[in-house]
Amino acid sequence: MKRFARDAGLSLFFLVIFVLALVGQSVAGFANENEELAMHGQPPVGFGEFVTSSSFLVDVAENWQSEFLQFFLFILATIWLVQRGSPESKKPGDEGVESDKEQYLGRYALADSPRWARSTGLRGWVYSNSLLLVMGTIFLLSWLAQSLGGVVVANQENAQHGMPAESWAQYVVSPEFWNRTLQNWQSEFLAVGCMVAFAIYLRQRGSSESKPVGAPHHESAVSSE
């Protein structure tokens, strides 16, 4: 158990703080929801009712979709684009998907390579792109959940103001939907861009996301040019 905790420490750390943050969000959101209901003279909702509500779903899914879009685009961009000196990038000249030999794919697979890496054809293609496929799928599902929950919340607010209900198609092209969506996207893109650029000149001793402290600025984490 100790060995597992050590070997999976990074994943376990982020899993724990994710759960704590999600629980904290639900508790704070529940309190805020009932405060707003009280201000409008409406009865409070129960905790179970709140965490299964469309408003809570929208707040959670809205952040999830922007995070997974960020990593989907970053993984895709780093195949073809480079940034000299950044440990987040391949070195200039290494753009592209690389050869089967460089990727240990098919007949070039190692003795302990994953089984699907030994395959060619569809299975080999799927496994070769599995990270991008999963990230993209989670993004799309989160975006869909956000939009479906959002149209319910929007129609609840419309009903309170005596306005007609919107369809899903109307909601997903509305300024309100894209205002909320793009607020999250722009912050994620800024954070990734800063990480790529800052890591050229700044260091963090002991972090795998940083070059060695004394490495030249032009040198990436995977080259010694």
Side-chain angles (χ1 to χ4, degrees), residues 205-220:
R205 183 171 184 166
S207 174
S208 62
E209 298 303 305
S210 169
K211 296 182 288 190
V213 177
H217 292 325
H218 68 269
E219 182 179 301
S220 76

Side-chain angles (χ1 to χ4, degrees), residues 2-14:
K2 288 183 178 180
R3 181 174 181 179
F4 171 77
R6 183 199 66 187
D7 292 349
L10 193 58
S11 297
L12 291 173
F13 171 72
F14 279 100

Side-chain angles (χ1 to χ4, degrees), residues 81-146:
L81 303 176
V82 297
Q83 174 59 61
R84 181 181 293 275
S86 176
E88 305 297 324
S89 167
K90 296 185 287 189
K91 65 180 181 178
D94 284 349
E95 298 91 339
V97 295
E98 301 179 337
S99 66
D100 289 355
K101 184 176 182 180
E102 291 171 309
Q103 289 289 313
Y104 310 122
L105 182 63
R107 63 191 181 93
Y108 299 105
L110 304 176
D112 55 352
S113 291
R115 185 176 59 176
W116 277 40
R118 304 174 187 279
S119 304
T120 56
L122 180 61
R123 285 211 307 177
W125 181 88
V126 169
Y127 192 68
S128 297
N129 298 281
S130 55
L131 182 58
L132 199 62
L133 292 170
V134 169
M135 289 292 187
T137 299
I138 297 175
F139 159 67
L140 291 174
L141 291 176
S142 300
W143 182 89
L144 181 61
Q146 176 200 352

Side-chain angles (χ1 to χ4, degrees), residues 181-203:
T181 299
L182 292 171
Q183 283 182 43
N184 285 281
W185 288 9
Q186 55 87 11
S187 62
E188 304 299 342
F189 299 156
L190 175 64
V192 172
C194 286
M195 182 66 184
V196 170
F198 289 173
I200 300 172
Y201 302 104
L202 306 178
R203 308 285 189 271

